[in-house]
Amino acid sequence: MGIVYHESSRTFHLYNDAMSYIIMVMRNGHLGQLYCGKRIRDREDFSYFLETCERPMTSYIYENDRTFSLEHIRQEYPVFGTTDYRQPAVEVLQENGSRVAEFQYQCHRIEEGKEKLPGLPATYTEEEGEAQSLIVTLRDAVTGGEAELFYTIFAEGGILARSVRLTNKGDRPVQLERAMSLCLDLPDRDYVWQQLSGCWARECHIHSRCLEPGVQSMGSMRGNSSHEHNPFLVLRRPHTDERQGEAIGISLIYSGNFRIQAEVDAHDTLRVLAGIEPDTFSWRLDGGESFQTPEAVLVYTDRGMNHMSQTFHRLYQRRLARGYWRDRVRPILNNNWEATYFDFTEERLLEIASRAKACGVELFVLDDGWFGDRTSERAGLGDWRANRKRLPEGIGGLSRRIEELGLKFGLWFEPEMVNSDSDFYRQHPDWILETPMRRRSHGRYQYVLDFSRKEVVDAIYAQMAEILRNASISYIKWDMNRSITECFSKAWPAERQGEIYHRYILGVYALYERLTEEFPRVLFESCASGGGRFDPGMLYYAPQGWLSDNSDAVERLKIQYGASLCYPVSSMGAHVSVTPNHQVFRNTPLSTRANVAYFGTFGYELDLNKLTEEEIGQVKEQIAFMKKYREVLQFGTFYRLQSPFEGNETAWMVVSPDQKTALVGWYRVLNVVNGRYTRLRLEGLKPDYCYRNVYTGSCHFGDELMYAGLITSDETAGQAPAGGEFCTDFASRIYVLEGTKA
Ligand code: DGJ
């Protein structure tokens, strides 16, 4: 890994074994993009990559050069209004109304490691030699505006982290109207765009399309990164598949409004922009003030989609998530939400918890409904003190009783929200986001607290910290159940209202930071009605997130498969729930529900007292199985094998770092009678290791399993009743493979 600066050609080459990223200072002082792709040998001068030619109907910068037009040049941080007609990375509105700017090279520095981003989640380094950073300072002479472009190349994997800090070094205020985190100009558009989209209970479905001329984009204007679109984009070559080929993944470490877009111009070059959504953003910069953009992470691979995902998984597991739980297997939990909803007493909770303990569960989580007057959605949010009618000894008393059972105790909060029927709201009616003289819309009868105000965040912190200090709490589920409307803060002047969405998220991050610092042993799980804020920003504070409110095993195949494009198994909250399932009313076998949830943080979302003795036997086996294999399941190398978006069967697998243990999850949605023979070509095994298939008892070499395949055919050809337990819809199997050197 290295960052080289060639003075004679004013070229920077950032490289590691996997990738090269080359940029140069062009004759007009702007930064040009020369190359982003597979590692190439270094040389003094790469400027020939900067292709220019004379084109009709083009505006040029120099009278003596009819080739140099920004419209046709690939750039690193482009502006609009001075020969480039594409969408810009940055827009600065000046006092005279102009938006034209010229960000020209001033200086640069190369540093070991990586700077922390003030107030924002970001990747980090821990040891020497893990990464190097280049910071290029550009300056607009007229306004005195300065843009520092941060690039960090990691030693392992084709990873480049980018962000920008904009500083007003002049004495007149300016208004940032757009400040994207990343601009990537590529020389062709021969890519397939893949995004993770959906909605509540249908998050992270993979959608693909070819790039066409014009702008294609996705994002969020909801205040949260959203169920609708995840802040993640893949551009893969058309022939790329899971096993081979080029792909570029772009992931934004941010939890608020965002936009990721690709613009194909008339000559088939491609501009990708990723950052805060410009339409709901503006930021006033007075003289001397700075604005830091969120970080965007670019992963390049020429080894297929699985390799791209594994690169993200490793990075986000080890160098984005932090703290005590980062590298630890996650406790198996029982959450009471789908078991009781709002209808519980302390004794009822203890009954659920006792049964859970008897089955081997480690953590009992009390969900919504324990505080204030919260017996329905209509009241209580904001009053973070126990409802003594339900919990006579408060949270302290309940947590003690749960711990006496031999379980850890976890608790639900929704810190950013308030019901109008709450003491907190009655005391501070002006602390919510709402526009004066306008309708105030609710979502689930709740309003969004103005987290752009420090005093509001402080007041919520005080309540949460009080509970955490006075009870034995090992886990917090941090929920967020509505998006923002009528976004306006009464605490900020008119010219700063464009800052509120971003300031709100900064407030959320600040509260997370404070709580995780003060209570470092507490495991945080983020949640926003399931996957409404399942994003890398949250992962920095909460190493796991409740991926979806949809706990049906079949629905979960698509959701977990899609999410795996970017997010590691250890980050995906996945639970076994009752049948008929509460979201889709489907009946799936208990075994399949667990077989899907194993590839997540694993837990139960039901009252185990309601299961039969036979089912309880199965649950005990499932928990014992998860305890035995969770290290591999949650931290092993994950491979997608067969896509639920393409057929009736889904398969994925994980392999331990020493390649001695592999677990293959195989799932079939509908039973097939007299179907074809089926097999799965496995990945990541040692060709010369002999693997015992614990499911069939047979032994096979790794090369057989990878090149010929693991046979998954049903020998009864799906004919009930001869086929037994697998002659059914929603069947699944877990193949455990134990390898030894032959
Ligand atoms: C939405 C979450 O996603 C659920 O798991 C549950 O915690 C409810 N909120 C509680 O209101």
Side-chain angles (χ1 to χ4, degrees):
M1 169 204 51
I3 298 176
V4 187
Y5 177 57
H6 296 293
E7 180 72 53
S8 66
S9 58
R10 303 178 89 194
T11 304
F12 300 94
H13 185 182
L14 298 84
Y15 64 87
N16 62 19
D17 289 345
M19 78 178 296
S20 282
Y21 192 86
I22 306 172
I23 55 185
M24 76 175 287
V25 182
M26 302 187 294
R27 70 177 280 208
N28 67 339
H30 293 196
L31 269 195
Q33 155 59 229
L34 298 186
Y35 177 77
C36 170
K38 191 171 165 76
R39 162 84 190 267
I40 54 180
R41 214 161 277 119
D42 188 41
R43 55 187 291 175
E44 186 65 29
D45 189 355
F46 286 105
S47 56
Y48 74 96
F49 282 144
L50 186 78
E51 286 179 276
T52 57
C53 66
E54 185 173 338
R55 293 183 189 274
M57 270 308 285
T58 297
S59 312
Y60 300 107
I61 291 184
Y62 303 106
E63 281 200 359
N64 63 358
D65 181 352
R66 290 192 31 128
T67 65
F68 198 88
S69 168
L70 295 175
E71 181 179 2
H72 303 298
I73 287 175
R74 287 180 284 120
Q75 298 158 69
E76 283 297 288
Y77 213 56
V79 297
F80 175 77
T82 164
T83 77
D84 188 352
Y85 299 100
R86 291 167 292 178
Q87 297 242 336
V90 60
E91 201 174 322
V92 185
L93 176 60
Q94 297 142 52
E95 269 188 325
N96 66 0
S98 162
R99 290 163 198 258
V100 172
E102 294 272 352
F103 283 103
Q104 292 174 310
Y105 174 83
Q106 288 297 300
C107 58
H108 72 269
R109 56 186 203 276
I110 294 171
E111 294 174 350
E112 279 305 311
K114 184 169 188 292
E115 280 181 29
K116 234 170 139 36
L117 302 194
L120 282 167
T123 57
Y124 58 90
T125 57
E126 231 171 45
E127 283 156 29
E128 250 178 59
E130 279 186 7
Q132 264 186 15
S133 299
L134 165 70
I135 300 106
V136 185
T137 305
L138 311 174
R139 186 150 196 192
D140 177 46
V142 174
T143 58
E146 196 176 270
E148 288 170 279
L149 309 192
F150 289 77
Y151 299 84
T152 298
I153 183 138
F154 284 78
E156 261 181 52
I159 304 168
L160 188 73
R162 292 181 55 179
S163 73
V164 180
R165 187 176 305 151
L166 292 143
T167 303
N168 182 356
K169 293 254 167 119
D171 49 14
R172 305 307 309 152
V174 294
Q175 199 80 20
L176 281 180
E177 296 287 294
R178 170 187 295 236
M180 303 307 271
S181 302
L182 164 148
C183 171
L184 179 64
D185 279 357
L186 294 167
D188 68 84
R189 60 134 156 159
D190 199 14
Y191 293 96
V192 174
W193 156 300
Q194 289 196 309
Q195 69 191 69
L196 301 177
S197 294
C199 58
W200 175 81
R202 188 161 39 80
E203 297 88 342
C204 287
H205 281 217
I206 300 175
H207 293 264
S208 310
R209 60 180 131 145
C210 292
L211 293 173
E212 296 293 344
V215 176
Q216 32 257 286
S217 81
M218 52 139 164
S220 167
M221 302 213 286
R222 308 179 71 100
N224 49 313
S225 52
S226 87
H227 299 87
E228 283 70 14
H229 303 294
N230 200 271
F232 177 64
L233 168 69
V234 182
L235 295 173
R236 64 164 175 81
R237 293 295 188 186
H239 63 269
T240 296
D241 58 25
E242 293 291 1
R243 292 157 186 261
Q244 58 77 40
E246 278 193 308
I248 296 173
I250 291 170
S251 164
L252 188 67
I253 304 180
Y254 191 55
S255 310
N257 290 349
F258 76 95
R259 186 192 295 180
I260 300 182
Q261 69 177 49
E263 179 172 4
V264 176
D265 75 1
H267 304 99
D268 280 352
T269 67
L270 175 62
R271 169 167 294 171
V272 182
L273 295 171
I276 294 177
E277 163 58 51
D279 279 354
T280 51
F281 168 84
S282 74
W283 196 277
R284 182 184 160 101
L285 277 186
D286 286 330
E289 285 182 352
S290 292
F291 179 80
Q292 171 67 55
T293 73
E295 180 166 290
V297 175
L298 180 157
V299 166
Y300 166 82
T301 185
D302 65 334
R303 296 168 56 193
M305 295 288 288
N306 267 326
H307 186 253
M308 178 205 70
S309 300
Q310 288 157 6
T311 307
F312 273 114
H313 295 171
R314 261 195 315 277
L315 181 73
Y316 283 1
Q317 236 166 13
R318 307 281 189 214
R319 293 295 179 265
L320 177 62
R322 301 175 297 166
Y324 178 81
W325 286 100
R326 185 187 75 180
D327 303 330
R328 288 184 158 78
V329 293
R330 304 298 156 70
I332 295 168
L333 64 82
N334 190 174
N335 178 305
N336 76 309
W337 179 242
E338 287 195 13
T340 64
Y341 295 104
F342 289 112
D343 184 17
F344 60 82
T345 59
E346 178 156 324
E347 292 317 312
R348 176 107 164 75
L349 297 175
L350 287 163
E351 270 167 36
I352 297 172
S354 310
R355 186 65 154 169
K357 170 65 190 166
C359 292
V361 165
E362 297 159 315
L363 168 70
F364 175 77
V365 178
L366 172 54
D367 210 280
D368 197 351
W370 58 267
F371 49 90
D373 287 333
R374 184 85 166 164
T375 49
S376 77
E377 294 173 348
R378 288 181 177 265
L381 289 172
D383 295 341
W384 300 108
R385 50 188 152 65
N387 176 339
R388 294 281 173 159
K389 284 187 218 129
R390 291 182 159 191
L391 308 173
E393 303 290 321
I395 289 296
L398 176 64
S399 66
R400 253 191 319 280
R401 291 182 75 185
I402 294 287
E403 291 210 328
E404 277 160 18
L405 295 174
L407 289 163
K408 296 286 183 196
F409 177 71
L411 194 59
W412 181 96
F413 284 93
E414 193 174 1
E416 300 149 67
M417 301 292 158
V418 72
N419 288 112
S420 53
D421 186 0
S422 69
D423 292 342
F424 193 79
Y425 179 79
R426 282 183 280 272
Q427 280 155 21
H428 306 287
D430 58 334
W431 277 10
I432 61 171
L433 291 173
E434 63 177 335
T435 304
M437 296 176 297
R438 299 281 169 199
R439 179 189 53 240
R440 190 179 76 176
S441 311
H442 77 97
R444 210 191 185 200
Y445 310 104
Q446 64 196 50
Y447 299 92
V448 184
L449 284 171
D450 183 354
F451 265 39
S452 74
R453 300 170 71 164
K454 188 169 179 313
E455 66 273 28
V456 178
V457 176
D458 286 349
I460 295 296
Y461 160 79
Q463 290 195 63
M464 292 178 77
E466 170 87 6
I467 295 267
L468 277 153
R469 285 186 201 121
N470 295 310
S472 192
I473 296 175
S474 306
Y475 162 108
I476 285 183
K477 178 173 170 187
W478 179 318
D479 207 345
M480 192 273 193
N481 285 303
R482 66 158 291 190
S483 299
I484 295 173
T485 52
E486 295 95 26
C487 183
F488 185 97
S489 169
K490 287 161 224 120
W492 294 91
E495 67 274 16
R496 291 207 177 265
Q497 291 301 322
E499 303 175 11
I500 303 307
Y501 278 110
H502 183 60
R503 287 192 183 276
Y504 174 87
I505 283 295
L506 293 180
V508 172
Y509 291 153
L511 182 57
Y512 255 118
E513 187 68 43
R514 227 164 143 182
L515 291 169
T516 49
E517 208 172 293
E518 186 171 340
F519 305 99
R521 291 291 181 100
V522 173
L523 171 60
F524 282 78
E525 176 153 351
S526 72
C527 174
S529 284
R533 213 163 53 184
F534 191 87
D535 59 55
M538 285 291 115
L539 266 186
Y540 184 70
Y541 306 98
Q544 60 191 58
W546 181 229
L547 179 55
S548 177
D549 272 351
N550 196 334
S551 57
D552 172 71
V554 175
E555 299 292 309
R556 275 287 180 144
L557 290 174
K558 286 185 174 158
I559 295 169
Q560 290 175 211
Y561 191 95
S564 79
L565 249 49
C566 181
Y567 304 99
V569 168
S570 60
S571 70
M572 297 185 205
H575 299 167
V576 174
S577 60
V578 289
T579 55
N581 170 270
H582 287 192
Q583 292 77 43
V584 293
F585 306 105
R586 185 179 282 134
N587 285 299
T588 52
L590 181 55
S591 57
T592 291
R593 281 175 269 156
N595 289 347
V596 176
Y598 289 145
F599 291 83
T601 55
F602 199 73
Y604 291 83
E605 186 97 7
L606 46 78
D607 179 355
L608 290 164
N609 292 299
K610 301 215 164 129
L611 268 49
T612 63
E613 277 314 308
E614 194 192 330
E615 288 171 325
I616 285 295
Q618 273 190 60
V619 167
K620 286 181 178 163
E621 281 173 23
Q622 289 169 355
I623 291 172
F625 177 88
M626 189 61 191
K627 285 180 180 166
K628 182 165 176 196
Y629 290 111
R630 63 183 151 181
E631 179 80 45
V632 185
L633 285 159
Q634 291 172 352
F635 294 98
T637 309
F638 181 85
Y639 294 87
R640 290 175 299 272
L641 300 176
Q642 211 163 345
S643 168
F645 299 98
E646 288 166 15
N648 193 32
E649 287 174 28
T650 301
W652 51 45
M653 69 183 289
V654 288
V655 183
S656 64
D658 63 7
Q659 291 165 287
K660 287 188 174 157
T661 308
L663 290 103
V664 181
W666 173 88
Y667 314 88
R668 186 185 59 207
V669 177
L670 295 180
N671 187 20
V672 177
V673 174
N674 207 9
R676 65 189 184 90
Y677 296 118
T678 54
R679 56 175 79 177
L680 279 175
R681 285 174 61 200
L682 303 188
E683 297 258 25
L685 304 177
K686 287 257 194 209
D688 57 341
Y689 273 27
C690 193
Y691 291 90
R692 196 173 75 83
N693 182 335
V694 175
Y695 181 75
T696 60
S698 56
C699 288
H700 306 280
F701 284 106
D703 55 5
E704 293 168 53
L705 292 165
M706 290 193 291
Y707 314 145
L710 169 77
I711 291 177
T712 56
S713 311
D714 177 353
E715 56 276 15
T716 68
Q719 298 174 84
E725 58 173 321
F726 293 115
C727 273
T728 168
D729 293 340
F730 320 126
S732 67
R733 296 175 202 152
I734 298 289
Y735 297 92
V736 178
L737 303 169
E738 302 282 11
T740 45
K741 202 164 163 47

